[in-house]
Amino acid sequence: MRTPGSAYWLIAKNENGRVEVLTVGLAEGEQALPVFGHEEEAEMFLSLGGAGDGWRVRESTAGELVSVLHGPCARVGCVAVDPLPVMLEEKTVGLVSLDRERFLDLALGRGRPSRRHGSTREA
């Protein structure tokens, strides 16, 4: 996982002087906030048709993500990490999604990522 000071990338647009952040639907009807680890991944999402007109890539910090997830996206249940637009069509965004609190713990350095397959467990 990235360090707490790392940059993240969101898709947002300025609508009547207010910033609106893109959310996407999951198969279960729940909403997810797409978050990208690199600007190029977010730009690719837009260029492949992952959102309509007016949306732009916006840099964000972990602290800003906390504000977004507790403010305008307070009803969002999870974060989709680096989703592809085809995943929206196929309703498979859930495969790259983390529970919002788990994502925040990792982004803020409060949690440890899962151990890799094949590693030994601590006693």
Side-chain angles (χ1 to χ4, degrees):
M1 192 69 183
R2 304 163 63 86
T3 62
S6 297
Y8 295 88
W9 301 89
L10 302 174
I11 308 292
K13 68 178 172 180
N14 198 338
E15 191 81 10
N16 298 323
R18 295 182 57 155
V19 175
E20 181 181 344
V21 181
L22 179 72
T23 60
V24 297
L26 299 177
E28 305 83 34
E30 188 177 25
Q31 291 291 303
L33 174 68
V35 175
F36 301 89
H38 298 280
E39 182 178 16
E40 295 80 11
E41 291 167 340
E43 288 174 350
M44 181 181 69
F45 182 87
L46 283 177
S47 70
L48 293 175
D53 292 336
W55 295 98
R56 302 285 179 257
V57 174
R58 181 178 188 279
E59 186 175 7
S60 181
T61 63
E64 289 171 322
L65 281 174
V66 171
S67 295
V68 167
L69 285 167
H70 287 95
C73 293
R75 296 183 191 266
V76 170
C78 60
V79 174
V81 181
D82 299 327
L84 297 171
V86 69
M87 298 177 104
L88 302 176
E89 297 167 18
E90 296 174 350
K91 304 284 189 208
T92 57
V93 174
L95 296 174
V96 294
S97 297
L98 290 171
D99 174 84
R100 63 185 280 130
E101 295 305 320
R102 176 73 173 139
F103 175 83
L104 287 172
D105 284 345
L106 292 172
L108 296 172
R110 297 187 305 222
R112 293 187 309 174
S114 302
R115 293 191 175 272
R116 292 177 186 242
H117 178 70
S119 66
T120 60
R121 295 180 59 141
E122 293 181 37

